[in-house]
Amino acid sequence: MDGASTSDSGSLPVPDMGNEESQDPQEKAPVRFGWIIGVMVRCMLNIWGVILFLRLSWITSQAGIVLTCVIIVMSVVVTNVTALSISAIATNGRVISGGAYFMISRTLGPEIGGPIGMVFSFANALACALNTVGFAEVVRDLMQEFGAVMVDPVNDVRIVGVITVTVLLLISLAGMEWESKTQILFFLVLLVSFANYFVGTLIPPGIEKQAVGVFGYRGDIFVENLTPNWRGPQGSFFQMFAIFFPAAIGILSGANISGDLKDPATAIPKGTLMAIFWTTISYLGIAVTVGACVVRDASGNKSHILTGNNTDGCVGLTCSLGWNFTDCIQSQSCEYGLANSVKVLGQVSGFYYLITAGVFAASLSSALGFLVSAPKVFQCLCKDKIYPYIIFFAKGYGKNDEPLRAYLLCYLIAIAFILIAELNTIAALISNFFLCSYCLINFSCFHASITNSPGWRPSFHYYSKWTALFGAVISVVLMFLFTWWAALVTFCIIFFLFGYVNYNKPKINWGSSVQAGTYNMALSYSVSLTGVEDHVKNFRPQCLVLTGPPNQRPALVDFVGSFTKHISLMICGDIVMEQDRKMRPQDATDSLVKWMNNRKVRSFYTPLSADNFRAGAKQLLQASGLGKLKPNTLVLGFKTNWRDSAPESIEDYISIIYDTFDANYCLCILRMMDGLDVSDDLEFEVNHGFEPDESVENQDQQTNEEDTADDMSDEGSSDQIKTVFQNDQGKKTIDVYWIADDGGLTLLVPYLITRRKRWRRCKVRVFIVGDEQNMEEGRNEMLALLRRFRLDVNDVIVMTDIDKCPHPKSLSRFVDNVAPFRLHDEQQEGVSVQELRQSAPWKISDKEFEAFKLKSERKVRLNEIIRKNSQHTALVLVSLPVPQSDCPSALYMAWMDTLTCGLHCPAVLIRGNQQNVLTFYCQ
């Protein structure tokens, strides 16, 4: 449905007739405007500014008629392309209040929308101050003509400006209906002013007009003024373009009050484009007509009229017209004419003071328009709660939800800059702020189109993604061409505000095109990876972690995250038994993903329903991942309570290990002294695929975990339990017992862990098997090999006593652990092994126990060495013995238990898949 499109999927309320109407049905409906009064007239008033009356004639004298028309057309191209982009975005779903900010933020997301909303609101407030100062300066000059001065020229501007902006504020506070009526009045004054000007060009000029350079329509004047005549330090094409372009920035005025329009999707495109068309006609008409009627230089002295036909020594076009302005032309002291006077339009017109009234209407209408736009946009930004400390200004009042607090803020900003009274520097920033807005509007349209999102379905079809891209690029180019330092300041402000939003990551989802673009890029890169052959240099341990619900085994999640974050793939697999599926909350997946995000874990979460634990694990092994983004390492938690578990549970657990190696996966099994499962603390349902671990001799590890103070993104969350993997490990050691070559995974994982900040100061020690006679030689060979692999290993220790018999006490403990799982068939006379097997197929026969006796003793002995050397290290990694098909599950479980028992630190049983993951070659 269209309701899900990019423009209306935000969190703002979308009232049909205003927020207040539903509260009081007796109150009148809010004021809503059509496309003519709401958009076209408003845009035309903002485009017709003081530049039209006070600067266009001077630009024509400098650039000539042809280049002035080029400047106007170039400006119109930028604004027209932007208007097409606005039209496309405005018709892609319902647009409510907020105008340009709303469109950009809902298309590109809060990271881009937030900064531009802040900058755009501020720019509108400054533009209000600029236009008010422009009006105040004209009033001051008019007062000086009549000899009226209040204090001095500067303070007069301040006084008139403060009074003016206060009156405009009162009009705004009276409501949009009064503001609209005021704008219509200004519009009518401007129309009368234009009519006065064009009628004046047709009236034959008298001597007074001719003295100031006005001669009516003449072909020779037109031809003379076609070409440029650059004068002064600002005499260049781009300087003229920079001076004129701010006249075109009013095209967003209608869009900025989108919340007050009857049908924004229709009004914004039609009104904006029509406003651009009519204002372009008026600008071109005035440039051509004034260039055809007025000479560049005139003295204003009626005595300079030529008597007779004597033109000796006369310089300039006016000699043929009966006037001699040679003296002022040669001394460059002419005060009148296109190049010298800003009051040419008034001198050409039928009645001079109607043009002054037009200047008043143009400046005041623009100031009022900006004073209304800034609070509306700022209110929408505040409602979105992207930035702190500004939510106070989000409150609206009355049937139109008027942002009275934001009006007062905008008023205070305008007052502050009016009192400065020197706004040339700020004017450059304003132009750059508006150009930056144009750039992002065009880029929004381009980006939404290029991502091919199904939600991008604007009903306005007369746009192109390439013209939108052109509009974005040309806006940036113009920013630097006009005022490079202001462009740099603008971008610095935008990047600072962007960085703040990006760091805080507001919990807002507007279905932006950035999300669509991210999806497209991820899909494209994933597909392109499928054509790339694997290489040992690019090997990454991509882990499928059987966590169950991740928040129940945070240590397992943190352990894998310590060597996969920002490096490789991590998938948390949750096998949900069929009998538990109906008890599972519907939002369980969302809450667990949220838990991982709060913990800053970069992992996918994949729940899977299965009849039993092994079947679910097998399905995950086969189906997890996408293309090359597929796990190659399975990570399990150690089944500490295996002695008390059902035989089927042990069989499933060991079968998963078999299935892992059959699928050509690597394998890691993590054992913590206090277990992995914290579901008792969280009071959650336990996934019985993992049994809770039994407690061990002491609680030192638990105390250590509770005392850690690592930063968490959600300190107040009760289910964010800290683990040992979040502690700063200091200068502890990571001990690696490399019993068998598995391709190098056993050595790679500790290297990746030490790249993390918390583990960076840890030293890695590698323990290898060797004989006493060649101990030093074997150690040196291993050190040389590790150096060639570029692994930073602190020490290599050769275990020469691994083949010794274990201590009788240790061996006795192992025998006692296995005793419940033995058949003791040799002690039962008259009963065959097969008969005993039928009643207890999982048990170990005496023959099997004897066959694996040497291996069992070796595991016990290795545990003694580990406990002796690594009792208080940060982490122990031990080569996992490869399971044999004829080895009973209980015996293999006892081996794994024996290897890692009695340690106060996390222990990892690890085994690669015999494929090399390390190389010392460059290719």
Side-chain angles (χ1 to χ4, degrees):
M1 300 295 291
D2 284 337
S5 59
T6 57
S7 293
D8 58 356
S9 58
S11 58
L12 291 177
V14 186
D16 286 337
M17 294 299 289
N19 292 339
E20 299 294 328
E21 186 186 17
S22 59
Q23 299 174 10
D24 188 0
Q26 302 299 322
E27 194 175 345
K28 288 197 305 180
V31 177
R32 294 288 185 259
F33 304 112
W35 70 272
I36 296 177
I37 295 176
V39 181
M40 188 185 79
V41 170
R42 191 174 296 274
C43 288
M44 291 176 73
L45 285 171
N46 267 25
I47 295 172
W48 284 333
V50 291
I51 290 175
L52 172 67
F53 291 98
L54 303 181
R55 286 290 182 269
L56 184 58
S57 58
W58 176 72
I59 292 172
T60 304
S61 77
Q62 290 268 357
I65 295 172
V66 174
L67 289 184
T68 300
C69 292
V70 170
I71 287 172
I72 294 170
V73 170
M74 286 176 63
S75 302
V76 169
V77 166
V78 177
T79 56
N80 209 49
V81 167
T82 306
L84 295 176
S85 298
I86 291 172
S87 302
I89 298 171
T91 57
N92 188 52
R94 188 176 180 186
V95 177
I96 55 173
S97 63
Y101 158 71
F102 184 86
M103 296 179 192
I104 295 172
S105 61
R106 269 51 176 184
T107 306
L108 290 179
E111 293 85 0
I112 302 295
I116 205 63
M118 190 74 80
V119 167
F120 190 65
S121 303
F122 188 62
N124 274 275
L126 294 189
C128 171
L130 263 182
N131 282 277
T132 304
V133 169
F135 167 78
E137 287 179 348
V138 175
V139 172
R140 178 199 62 191
D141 294 343
L142 195 62
M143 290 168 59
Q144 287 178 345
E145 287 183 18
F146 292 97
V149 176
M150 288 182 283
V151 183
D152 57 63
V154 174
N155 285 311
D156 284 2
V157 169
R158 290 171 176 160
I159 294 169
V160 174
V162 170
I163 294 172
T164 303
V165 79
T166 303
V167 172
L168 294 178
L169 174 69
L170 295 176
I171 294 172
S172 302
L173 293 178
M176 288 300 294
E177 193 170 2
W178 280 94
E179 188 269 348
S180 178
K181 290 176 180 177
T182 307
Q183 293 285 35
I184 292 172
L185 174 63
F186 289 147
F187 186 71
L188 293 174
V189 171
L190 278 169
L191 291 182
V192 171
S193 180
F194 283 134
N196 171 55
Y197 165 76
F198 284 110
V199 169
T201 61
L202 300 173
I203 297 174
I207 291 179
E208 289 187 355
K209 282 193 173 185
Q210 290 183 4
V212 296
V214 179
F215 291 92
Y217 290 108
R218 294 188 64 89
D220 48 359
I221 295 178
F222 179 75
V223 172
E224 175 73 18
N225 287 334
L226 279 177
T227 55
N229 183 10
W230 307 116
R231 300 183 184 184
Q234 292 183 316
S236 70
F237 178 79
F238 280 109
Q239 285 290 334
M240 294 300 110
F241 190 26
I243 291 168
F244 174 80
F245 187 80
I249 62 177
I251 62 167
L252 296 177
S253 300
N256 286 340
I257 63 159
S258 53
D260 297 299
L261 300 175
K262 292 178 183 175
D263 183 8
T266 302
I268 291 174
K270 190 184 295 185
T272 305
L273 292 171
M274 287 299 291
I276 291 174
F277 174 77
W278 289 115
T279 53
T280 303
I281 295 296
S282 64
Y283 272 108
L284 290 173
I286 290 176
V288 172
T289 54
V290 79
C293 294
V294 186
V295 296
R296 284 192 169 100
D297 296 295
S299 64
N301 191 338
K302 289 185 282 187
S303 65
H304 288 166
I305 189 170
L306 288 174
T307 56
N309 294 323
N310 184 16
T311 59
D312 293 340
C314 186
V315 176
L317 175 65
T318 53
C319 297
S320 61
L321 303 176
W323 289 84
N324 184 3
F325 300 135
T326 303
D327 291 341
C328 76
I329 291 175
Q330 291 180 340
S331 62
Q332 297 182 354
S333 59
C334 295
E335 297 181 0
Y336 297 93
L338 288 177
N340 306 295
S341 174
V342 296
K343 302 175 182 178
V344 170
L345 265 62
Q347 293 160 356
V348 174
S349 63
F351 182 64
Y352 177 83
Y353 289 107
L354 277 179
I355 295 297
T356 303
V359 175
F360 287 173
S363 55
L364 289 176
S365 63
S366 296
L368 182 59
F370 288 124
L371 183 62
V372 170
S373 296
K376 297 278 186 182
V377 174
F378 192 63
Q379 181 189 35
C380 184
L381 174 65
C382 296
K383 283 183 177 179
D384 288 340
K385 300 179 181 179
I386 295 175
Y387 295 104
Y389 314 121
I390 61 172
I391 301 171
F392 172 80
F393 298 100
K395 184 172 177 59
Y397 297 86
K399 58 188 178 182
N400 273 49
D401 196 32
E402 294 291 345
L404 301 186
R405 295 174 178 178
Y407 275 130
L408 291 174
L409 177 64
C410 179
Y411 168 75
L412 293 175
I413 293 172
I415 288 286
F417 285 96
I418 287 169
L419 292 177
I420 294 172
E422 292 292 336
L423 295 178
N424 290 337
T425 303
I426 303 300
L429 274 177
I430 293 174
S431 294
N432 274 272
F433 286 167
F434 279 101
L435 275 170
C436 190
S437 303
Y438 289 177
C439 170
L440 287 175
I441 288 172
N442 284 302
F443 184 75
S444 298
C445 182
F446 167 75
H447 197 267
S449 303
I450 204 74
T451 53
N452 295 319
S453 173
W456 175 249
R457 305 184 303 276
S459 56
F460 181 84
H461 301 293
Y462 305 103
Y463 75 98
S464 166
K465 58 188 175 186
W466 301 116
T467 56
L469 179 62
F470 168 77
V473 172
I474 201 67
S475 297
V476 174
V477 171
L478 290 176
M479 287 175 69
F480 283 94
L481 284 177
F482 289 171
T483 320
W484 64 268
W485 63 264
L488 290 177
V489 170
T490 304
F491 280 115
C492 286
I493 294 172
I494 294 290
F495 284 135
F496 173 77
L497 295 172
F498 168 82
Y500 177 85
V501 179
N502 195 52
Y503 177 78
N504 282 291
K505 299 190 185 306
K507 297 175 182 178
I508 297 172
N509 184 6
W510 292 324
S512 68
S513 63
V514 173
Q515 295 172 350
T518 303
Y519 174 84
N520 279 356
M521 288 177 63
L523 186 62
S524 175
Y525 285 135
S526 298
V527 172
S528 65
L529 268 177
T530 58
V532 179
E533 293 185 9
D534 293 330
H535 194 283
V536 63
K537 285 170 64 178
N538 291 325
F539 175 85
R540 299 161 187 263
Q542 303 190 130
C543 297
L544 170 61
V545 193
L546 298 187
T547 58
N551 60 352
Q552 294 182 19
R553 290 174 182 80
L556 192 59
V557 173
D558 292 339
F559 164 65
V560 179
S562 65
F563 65 88
T564 61
K565 190 174 183 180
H566 302 298
I567 295 172
S568 60
L569 175 70
M570 176 179 173
I571 300 175
C572 290
D574 183 6
I575 301 167
V576 183
M577 304 303 173
E578 286 293 342
Q579 62 268 26
D580 298 330
R581 189 161 59 88
K582 294 181 180 179
M583 303 288 293
R584 185 182 177 88
Q586 289 185 344
D587 63 342
T589 298
D590 291 338
S591 64
L592 290 171
V593 170
K594 183 180 179 181
W595 179 88
M596 290 194 297
N597 290 336
N598 288 340
R599 204 172 182 84
K600 298 184 179 179
V601 175
R602 291 171 65 97
S603 173
F604 297 100
Y605 171 68
T606 304
L608 180 75
S609 298
D611 295 330
N612 58 68
F613 185 47
R614 183 189 179 186
K618 202 167 185 178
Q619 291 173 33
L620 283 172
L621 286 169
Q622 293 174 352
S624 294
L626 180 69
K628 294 288 184 180
L629 296 175
K630 183 177 176 62
N632 54 28
T633 303
L634 181 72
V635 183
L636 290 166
F638 183 71
K639 193 175 182 66
T640 308
N641 69 333
W642 64 278
R643 286 182 294 273
D644 303 323
S645 300
E648 295 82 3
S649 176
I650 299 174
E651 195 70 33
D652 270 1
Y653 188 85
I654 301 301
S655 296
I656 289 172
I657 296 177
Y658 282 109
D659 294 338
T660 301
F661 289 119
D662 289 343
N664 203 30
Y665 272 58
C666 307
L667 179 64
C668 291
I669 300 175
L670 174 66
R671 181 174 188 175
M672 302 284 290
M673 191 188 74
D674 293 310
L676 294 168
D677 199 305
V678 296
S679 56
D680 291 340
D681 298 333
L682 300 176
E683 298 181 359
F684 284 144
E685 184 71 23
V686 178
N687 181 340
H688 296 288
F690 287 104
E691 303 283 350
D693 291 348
E694 62 182 15
S695 61
V696 208
E697 295 103 0
N698 59 62
Q699 299 299 317
D700 293 345
Q701 184 74 34
Q702 183 68 29
T703 305
N704 188 28
E705 292 177 18
E706 291 174 355
D707 291 342
T708 60
D710 188 27
D711 288 337
M712 299 293 297
S713 60
D714 190 357
E715 287 289 344
S717 182
S718 60
D719 60 349
Q720 291 289 358
I721 296 177
K722 295 175 182 176
T723 68
V724 66
F725 296 102
Q726 294 174 324
N727 296 347
D728 187 344
Q729 301 298 324
K731 294 183 179 180
K732 294 181 181 179
T733 61
I734 298 175
D735 289 351
V736 180
Y737 289 84
W738 197 25
I739 310 303
D741 182 13
D742 60 353
L745 183 69
T746 307
L747 297 172
L748 180 63
V749 168
Y751 164 74
L752 294 176
I753 290 175
T754 54
R755 292 173 63 178
R756 310 299 302 173
K757 183 179 179 181
R758 299 182 183 96
W759 298 77
R760 190 169 295 160
R761 292 187 293 164
C762 289
K763 304 297 183 182
V764 178
R765 299 190 300 177
V766 176
F767 292 78
I768 61 172
V769 178
D771 55 70
E772 197 166 352
Q773 291 81 6
N774 301 315
M775 181 177 69
E776 196 61 32
E777 183 182 346
R779 179 177 179 277
N780 292 335
E781 287 180 359
M782 189 63 187
L783 279 171
L785 180 65
L786 293 172
R787 277 196 294 267
R788 293 180 70 187
F789 282 134
R790 304 172 304 283
L791 297 173
D792 187 14
V793 173
N794 188 57
D795 195 12
V796 171
I797 300 169
V798 181
M799 298 180 293
T800 59
D801 55 350
I802 194 170
D803 292 326
K804 289 182 179 180
C805 291
H807 194 279
K809 188 177 180 181
S810 301
L811 193 58
S812 174
R813 189 186 302 115
F814 173 78
V815 173
D816 291 343
N817 282 341
V818 179
F821 299 93
R822 293 184 61 182
L823 283 173
H824 299 290
D825 50 284
E826 292 182 359
Q827 299 176 12
Q828 301 184 36
E829 297 180 0
V831 183
S832 66
V833 176
Q834 286 74 20
E835 291 174 345
L836 292 172
R837 282 282 193 200
Q838 287 179 356
S839 59
W842 60 87
K843 289 196 173 184
I844 309 166
S845 68
D846 291 344
K847 184 178 180 181
E848 289 170 332
F849 185 77
E850 195 64 30
F852 290 103
K853 183 177 181 181
L854 288 176
K855 291 189 175 182
S856 299
E857 290 178 353
R858 189 180 174 92
K859 305 296 183 292
V860 175
R861 177 56 187 158
L862 181 57
N863 175 253
E864 290 178 345
I865 296 172
I866 294 171
R867 282 191 294 171
K868 177 183 177 182
N869 293 287
S870 307
Q871 187 64 249
H872 297 289
T873 58
L875 180 67
V876 172
L877 294 96
V878 186
S879 293
L880 175 73
V882 176
Q884 295 174 301
S885 58
D886 56 345
C887 180
S889 298
L891 182 60
Y892 186 74
M893 199 74 223
W895 286 354
M896 291 193 294
D897 186 20
T898 300
L899 281 171
T900 55
C901 71
L903 295 176
H904 295 287
C905 62
V908 180
L909 292 165
I910 184 169
R911 190 81 183 201
N913 59 2
Q914 301 306 125
Q915 292 183 0
N916 290 332
V917 301
L918 297 172
T919 180
F920 43 75
Y921 295 109
C922 293
Q923 76 277 358

